[in-house]
Amino acid sequence: MNTFSKYKFWIGGAAGLLVIGLIIGAIYPRHAAGAPPGAAPDVEVVQVEQKDVPIFGEWIGTLDGLVNADVRAQVTGYLMKQGYQEGAFVKQGQLLFQIDPRPFQAVLDQSEGQLAQAKASLANAQAVQGRTQLDVVRYTPLAKEQAASQQDLDNAVQNNLAAIATVETAKAQIKSYDAAVETAKINLGFTRLVAPIDGIAGQAQLQVGALVTPGSGIVTSVSTVDPIKVYFTVGEPQYLAWRKRFPTETSSQAAGKALHLHLILADGSTYPQEGTFYFADRQVNESTGAIRIAGLFPNPGSVLRPGGYAKVRAVIATQPGALLVPQRAVSELQGGYQVAVVDGDNKVTIRTVSVGDPVGGQWIITDGLHAGERVVAEGTQKVRTGARVNPKPFGAGTKDR
């Protein structure tokens, strides 16, 4: 092949490639026209729901026994015996600890002996007084008839008065020894540290062999735990709002009885028993601006114990006709809240709204939306004001995936 033929060959090849390129360029746009870069993105939307919703209050609560009784020593002595299992249920009057009773028994025996002596002295004094009284009776008529001297009568009267005084002294001694015996019996009884109430007995703070005195502190404690008491604090504004709704004492008590308390335990589970309102404290805490409230919860099996923490929840109001949207449909931006509203032409408007209380996984919208409007619940990051979207029901995309 000569040079001229090669030249024509290269020219023809280049022209063919140019024609092929023009054909492909003409065909490609028609195939790409079905998926332009500005296609409407898929989003999931939900309608603004309107219904009456309960408003919940939630507070941190502290569990406590309905009655907590501290057991302390009231006499001095050594602990000889522990009569209960720590953490077990005890009955009122059950022995918890025994203090050495021997010194107190000795004091009681001595007091009873002194009392017996005083009673014997009284009997002797009464016998003497009986004789002196007879002398007065015998000498009185004799002195009138001058058969006995006036001095004899006067002596008999004086002896009788002295005998009467001796009798009264003996009676006073008996009362004193009676009191001593009673005190000794009480102190002997104090050597038995018993449960003052039915309940759960706590850990022993002192052990067998320890010397206890009235100033040695708590030996153990017993708590009534069924029902168990829960303390929680409510802010003063919330308390005042409650009292405005129920201004009279009668209406407030009725509302308190109708209040159903729920307990969220430390592991996140909900306690199966409902609680009731018990009382509100007499004053607002000056440092926290909150008032202390107590509720009662049934506690069969003593599952709940004093000192535990839990969340207390209760329906404190009902908001009629509240507007609800999923919380994920609301975006927070610089302290404000926004939602993406989709109109009838599937165009988006970013709108500022005001939110109220959360209800489950939803927000109550107090301003900025109307019932029935559609808001973007999934895909808010894809949209902007004026953009057209391809709306799908909220949750449908999740099911498809």
Side-chain angles (χ1 to χ4, degrees):
M1 183 181 292
N2 56 28
T3 303
F4 180 75
S5 298
K6 289 181 180 179
Y7 180 76
K8 289 195 294 182
F9 176 78
W10 287 110
I11 293 296
L17 290 173
L18 178 61
V19 171
I20 292 171
L22 291 173
I23 293 172
I24 292 174
I27 294 173
Y28 179 77
R30 289 197 295 270
H31 286 284
D42 292 339
V43 295
E44 296 182 17
V45 298
V46 63
Q47 282 191 333
V48 179
E49 184 181 7
Q50 185 174 30
K51 65 178 182 179
D52 297 345
V53 295
I55 305 300
F56 284 87
E58 187 171 283
W59 311 273
I60 299 298
T62 305
L63 303 177
D64 197 8
L66 179 62
V67 179
N68 299 304
D70 293 332
V71 179
R72 302 173 184 265
Q74 299 187 66
V75 293
T76 299
Y78 289 95
L79 294 178
M80 296 183 63
K81 176 184 176 182
Q82 180 174 331
Y84 78 104
Q85 177 65 42
E86 293 168 308
F89 182 82
V90 295
K91 298 287 288 183
Q92 183 179 14
Q94 179 178 333
L95 178 68
L96 303 180
F97 283 96
Q98 176 68 61
I99 298 174
D100 186 357
R102 292 173 297 178
F104 303 94
Q105 183 65 56
V107 172
L108 175 60
D109 293 342
Q110 182 181 17
S111 298
E112 288 178 338
Q114 292 171 335
L115 176 61
Q117 286 181 342
K119 289 181 177 179
S121 297
L122 174 62
N124 183 57
Q126 288 174 332
V128 172
Q129 193 269 330
R131 290 195 302 270
T132 59
Q133 181 65 37
L134 289 175
D135 290 341
V136 172
V137 172
R138 184 172 68 251
Y139 280 116
T140 298
L142 292 175
K144 288 181 179 180
E145 296 176 0
Q146 296 183 351
S149 67
Q150 184 64 37
Q151 183 64 41
D152 291 335
L153 175 60
D154 291 341
N155 289 339
V157 171
Q158 292 300 320
N159 290 338
N160 186 52
L161 292 174
I164 292 174
T166 303
V167 168
E168 295 302 319
T169 300
K171 289 181 178 179
Q173 286 180 335
I174 287 176
K175 287 185 178 180
S176 176
Y177 289 131
D178 265 335
V181 168
E182 187 63 27
T183 300
K185 286 181 179 179
I186 291 173
N187 287 335
L188 181 60
F190 283 156
T191 63
R192 289 175 51 85
L193 302 183
V194 299
I197 57 173
D198 293 348
I200 301 294
Q203 179 182 354
Q205 302 301 310
L206 295 172
Q207 303 300 318
V208 171
L211 177 66
V212 294
T213 69
S216 59
I218 298 171
V219 180
T220 189
S221 299
V222 181
S223 295
T224 300
V225 296
D226 187 17
I228 196 165
K229 189 161 45 180
V230 180
Y231 288 114
F232 56 98
T233 55
V234 174
E236 187 177 4
Q238 196 173 41
Y239 173 73
L240 292 176
W242 174 269
R243 288 311 305 260
K244 286 178 181 178
R245 289 174 56 202
F246 307 102
T248 67
E249 193 64 27
T250 301
S251 62
S252 179
Q253 289 179 357
K257 290 180 180 179
L259 195 63
H260 299 285
L261 303 179
H262 301 272
L263 209 58
I264 312 300
L265 303 180
D267 61 358
S269 63
T270 300
Y271 186 62
Q273 302 281 350
E274 281 191 355
T276 56
F277 172 82
Y278 188 39
F279 72 85
D281 202 359
R282 68 176 185 87
Q283 68 178 24
V284 175
N285 188 299
E286 294 179 359
S287 59
T288 63
I291 188 169
R292 199 181 200 194
I293 307 294
L296 291 181
F297 283 82
N299 190 24
S302 304
V303 175
L304 304 179
R305 295 297 178 98
Y309 286 88
K311 291 181 180 178
V312 181
R313 298 184 76 234
V315 177
I316 57 176
T318 299
Q319 184 167 332
L323 301 178
L324 300 171
V325 297
Q327 289 185 4
R328 63 191 306 160
V330 181
S331 302
E332 185 175 1
L333 181 63
Q334 297 180 350
Y337 297 90
Q338 295 178 339
V339 296
V341 182
V342 180
D343 63 16
D345 295 329
N346 294 337
K347 287 186 177 181
V348 173
T349 301
I350 304 299
R351 193 180 299 174
T352 300
V353 296
S354 299
V355 301
D357 296 313
V359 179
Q362 296 178 302
W363 277 115
I364 293 178
I365 304 299
T366 59
D367 187 45
L369 287 178
H370 300 285
E373 288 188 304
R374 298 183 298 170
V375 297
V376 177
E378 185 67 42
T380 53
Q381 71 278 5
K382 304 176 186 178
V383 301
R384 56 182 176 80
T385 296
R388 190 180 297 275
V389 295
N390 181 28
K392 294 183 178 180
F394 178 51
T398 303
K399 293 178 183 179
D400 293 340
R401 289 191 293 270

